[in-house]
Amino acid sequence: GSYVVGGPPVFTAQAMLTGGLLIQRHRRRRAEAALRHSEARTSAILRAIPDLMFVLDRAGRYVDFHARDQKALFVPPDAFLGRTIQDVMPAPLVDRFMQALDKTGSSDEPVVVDYELPIGNEVRYHEARLVPADDGRVVSIVRDMTEQQRALELNRALVGRLIVSQEEERQRIARELHDDVSQKIALLNLEVDQMAQEMSALRERTRLQHLSSRVSEIAGDLSDLSHKLHPSRLQTLGLIESVRLLCYEISKQRRVNIMFSSADFPAVDPNVSLCLYRVAQEALHNVAKHSKARDAFVQLTHDGNDVHLQIADSGVGFDPFVGDHAGLGLVSMRERVGVLKGNIVIHASPGRGTRIGVRVPLTQPPGNGHSIFKPE
């Protein structure tokens, strides 16, 4: 009798256990199907993208990749899958990539890393954009920027040659003004002075003295123009004193209070000196002509192997992306700085003044092909 009584509970328990197992198996199968679907979707996305793409975990471990052409890879797949950035990438790039990986955790925007790698028999330039993905992973989309970089370098070479030609022509004109035209005007002024002294009539003598004064004024203007065309003072005074004198002259001529400060730094490449002088010259010309500012500030400093030029004014400002303000002056500054592989940043907005920051290496590598400063 006890077997009959105990049967139903046992059957009920077995049925519940079997049902639970079936439900658990069904859920597992659904989860596996969802995972397969997710992996298939991710794999399809990877195959659809023509660039290199890598999937990494937060530790910097490569867990998946896509490459349309595996020849574009730095190392074969079996040399990086399952391994970390530290194991695969050259040491100088490891910190940059790990810092970028960390930034993806706190930014919704792609984190961009520009770098170069030796692939095959040449150096290739790349741009990696890192974005966060599911499960704490990071997707890195890599574009080969070699052709764009070569085009940029070619453009810089062309701009460099153009600037060289421009500076040579300016120097030629400045020399002719100084050595020929200015000398002729000086002789003319002497003759006018001599004629004035020989005149007995007061009226004629006064007119000749006035004429002599006008000739002297023209001679001064020619001298100023000669210095603007080719700042020979850079060779004799150096960068700091030349920029200081430039600030003084513009302050005096245009009634703008320009404060100048500087720090001593090592010898500066002549190309760098001329570049920074020209940028300061153009920027201060804009301050005096367009900004309506009463005050401006110029600073020259250095940091390691870089020299920094800062120019700021309290004037009307402008929108650098609208109309004539994106004109030849700003373009010329950018081109000069770009030729020497420096950076220029322009902060401006209507009613809030203008700030220009320039960073250029103190020295230039030999054979860069851009000798934009020609000695006398």
Side-chain angles (χ1 to χ4, degrees):
S2 61
Y3 292 104
V4 175
V5 173
V10 172
F11 292 143
T12 301
Q14 288 178 341
M16 292 178 64
L17 179 60
T18 302
L21 291 173
L22 288 173
I23 292 172
Q24 185 178 10
R25 185 173 66 177
H26 178 67
R27 288 177 176 173
R28 186 174 66 251
R29 286 180 175 175
R30 287 179 59 188
E32 290 173 351
L35 178 61
R36 285 195 300 271
H37 176 72
S38 176
E39 290 177 344
R41 183 179 62 179
T42 301
S43 179
I45 293 173
L46 290 175
R47 289 194 303 272
I49 296 176
D51 301 279
L52 290 172
M53 180 178 284
F54 303 93
V55 180
L56 304 95
D57 61 22
R58 288 293 177 183
R61 191 178 308 279
Y62 293 94
V63 297
D64 200 358
F65 84 103
H66 160 72
R68 182 176 58 181
D69 181 3
Q70 292 198 9
K71 293 180 181 178
L73 294 170
F74 178 51
V75 293
D78 58 4
F80 68 83
L81 283 176
R83 300 187 182 183
T84 65
I85 290 174
Q86 292 92 331
D87 300 328
V88 177
M89 299 298 285
L93 296 179
V94 170
D95 286 343
R96 290 173 59 189
F97 273 101
M98 293 306 296
Q99 290 173 7
L101 204 63
D102 290 339
K103 286 182 181 178
T104 59
S106 58
S107 174
D108 294 330
E109 297 295 324
V111 179
V112 180
V113 181
D114 296 314
Y115 63 101
E116 54 191 70
L117 281 174
I119 297 178
N121 296 323
E122 62 178 345
V123 174
R124 308 290 295 183
Y125 297 88
H126 300 86
E127 176 194 81
R129 290 179 175 265
L130 285 70
V131 294
D134 296 334
D135 302 324
R137 293 179 175 180
V138 173
V139 175
S140 174
I141 302 174
V142 179
R143 297 177 59 198
D144 189 319
M145 305 295 290
T146 305
E147 295 306 318
Q148 292 90 328
Q149 182 66 26
R150 288 173 179 168
L152 175 62
E153 290 175 355
L154 176 61
N155 183 62
R156 282 180 174 172
L158 293 173
V159 170
R161 287 197 288 271
L162 179 61
I163 292 175
V164 168
S165 299
Q166 183 187 63
E167 289 296 340
E168 288 177 343
E169 183 64 10
R170 283 182 170 186
Q171 184 174 347
R172 184 189 66 79
I173 295 172
R175 187 182 294 114
E176 288 188 4
L177 287 176
H178 181 271
D179 297 343
D180 185 22
V181 180
S182 292
Q183 298 301 323
K184 290 178 179 178
I185 289 181
L187 290 174
L188 174 62
N189 199 27
L190 287 175
E191 291 182 11
V192 173
D193 281 340
Q194 185 175 357
M195 289 177 63
Q197 292 174 3
E198 293 173 354
M199 281 290 176
S200 57
L202 178 61
R203 183 178 178 183
E204 283 72 13
R205 185 168 65 248
T206 302
R207 291 181 62 185
L208 285 172
Q209 289 173 344
H210 178 68
L211 181 60
S212 174
S213 176
R214 294 285 300 277
V215 172
S216 295
E217 184 180 342
I218 293 172
D221 291 341
L222 281 175
S223 178
D224 290 341
L225 179 59
S226 175
H227 286 303
K228 288 177 182 178
L229 285 170
H230 181 68
S232 57
R233 64 177 60 153
L234 280 170
Q235 293 174 277
T236 55
L237 300 179
L239 175 62
I240 292 177
E241 290 305 316
S242 295
V243 175
R244 188 194 309 275
L245 187 56
L246 176 68
C247 293
Y248 170 78
E249 289 172 346
I250 294 180
S251 294
K252 185 177 179 181
Q253 295 169 2
R254 301 301 183 98
R255 296 181 181 178
V256 180
N257 180 31
I258 303 175
M259 296 181 60
F260 175 76
S261 69
S262 66
D264 292 332
F265 42 77
V268 182
D269 186 289
N271 294 326
V272 175
S273 292
L274 183 56
C275 170
L276 294 177
Y277 185 89
R278 289 297 192 206
V279 170
Q281 190 178 43
E282 178 65 32
L284 291 176
H285 171 77
N286 290 339
V287 169
K289 188 175 181 180
H290 303 296
S291 74
K292 301 180 182 179
R294 294 178 177 269
D295 301 289
F297 175 75
V298 178
Q299 183 180 53
L300 272 172
T301 57
H302 82 97
D303 178 17
N305 190 45
D306 293 333
V307 57
H308 299 264
L309 171 66
Q310 303 286 332
I311 303 168
D313 69 70
S314 57
V316 297
F318 64 94
D319 186 338
F321 304 105
V322 174
D324 296 336
H325 297 305
L328 291 177
L330 298 183
V331 171
S332 174
M333 291 183 197
R334 294 186 189 279
E335 287 178 344
R336 286 182 176 276
V337 173
V339 164
L340 300 184
K341 297 186 177 180
N343 291 324
I344 181 169
V345 178
I346 299 173
H347 294 288
S349 58
R352 303 187 64 179
T354 304
R355 289 181 293 123
I356 298 175
V358 179
R359 179 194 62 77
V360 180
L362 277 168
T363 57
Q364 293 291 306
N368 68 352
H370 303 306
S371 180
I372 60 176
F373 186 91
K374 301 292 185 181
E376 295 287 354

